[in-house]
Amino acid sequence: MRYLTQHFSVAEFTASQTATRLGIDNSLPEELFGAARKTAMLLEQIRQYLSHLTGREIPIQITRGYACLELNRALKSDDTSHHVIACAADIIAPAFGSATDVALAIVSQVNRLGIGQLINEYPDRNGWVHVSTKMTSKPINQVITITASGTKPGINRA
C-alpha cells in the first residue's frame, strides 16, 4: 500500500463510496501526489496536536480527501473545491470528540499549523471538519461554520 505519510495512505485519501457506486475512477493523478502529501502532513500535525492535548493517541479518519472533478460534481460541490486539487480533507476524530470539539481545539492553531481554511461543517447533523492547505480567496472564509441554516464566521456549535 502506498502512503502519503506515516498514518495516511493514498487509498484512504481517495476512498469514496459515491465513486464506487457510480463507477467513477477517483485515482490520485501523479501530478497531485505532492499536494496530497502536503495535505496529509497537515493531518499528521493535527493528529499530533490533538494527541498532545489528550495525552493519548488520537487517530484521524478522512471522510473525504481527493475528489476528481467528476466525483466532485456528483457530490454537488463547486469546481473550485480544494478537494479537486488534493489540498483539502474532511476529517473526524471520534476518540477526541465531535467534529465541533476538533474544530474548537485546532482553531487557535490555524496559523501555526498552516491551515488555509478551517470549516466546521454541519454540526447540527453528524458533521465533519474541513481543512485545507490553501488559503481562501476571501479572508472572512478562513474559519467558518456551515449549518443547514447558513454560514457563519468562526467555529460555532449547532
Side-chain angles (χ1 to χ4, degrees):
M1 183 178 298
R2 189 172 183 197
Y3 277 81
L4 296 166
T5 61
Q6 179 182 356
H7 297 104
F8 301 102
S9 69
V10 171
E12 179 182 12
F13 194 70
T14 60
S16 169
Q17 292 178 355
T18 302
T20 301
R21 188 178 73 251
L22 297 177
I24 297 170
D25 179 4
N26 195 49
S27 300
L28 183 67
E30 196 59 38
E31 65 269 16
L32 293 180
F33 189 82
R37 177 172 274 156
K38 183 177 178 182
T39 303
M41 288 177 8
L42 172 62
L43 299 182
E44 290 285 359
Q45 290 180 54
I46 293 169
R47 185 182 195 279
Q48 183 178 31
Y49 181 72
L50 296 176
S51 296
H52 169 77
L53 287 178
T54 61
R56 62 187 177 10
E57 287 294 312
I58 300 294
I60 288 178
Q61 298 170 5
I62 299 172
T63 60
R64 180 178 174 207
Y66 170 71
C68 69
L69 194 55
E70 183 181 1
L71 172 59
N72 202 58
R73 288 175 177 165
L75 295 169
K76 300 192 183 338
S77 189
D78 292 338
D79 286 359
T80 58
S81 167
H82 293 169
H83 290 280
V84 174
I85 55 174
C87 291
D90 296 340
I91 60 170
I92 57 172
F96 186 83
S98 70
T100 301
D101 294 333
V102 171
L104 286 169
I106 64 175
V107 70
S108 67
Q109 303 299 306
V110 164
N111 292 330
R112 186 181 74 75
L113 296 174
I115 298 172
Q117 186 174 45
L118 172 64
I119 306 174
N120 184 26
E121 294 201 49
Y122 300 102
D124 47 342
R125 301 180 188 161
N126 288 330
W128 59 89
V129 177
H130 170 96
V131 292
S132 176
T133 59
K134 282 188 63 84
M135 292 297 292
T136 64
S137 58
K138 297 177 185 173
I140 188 80
N141 291 333
Q142 185 178 18
V143 178
I144 59 176
T145 298
I146 298 174
T147 66
S149 60
T151 301
K152 299 176 185 172
I155 301 301
N156 305 282
R157 294 202 179 268

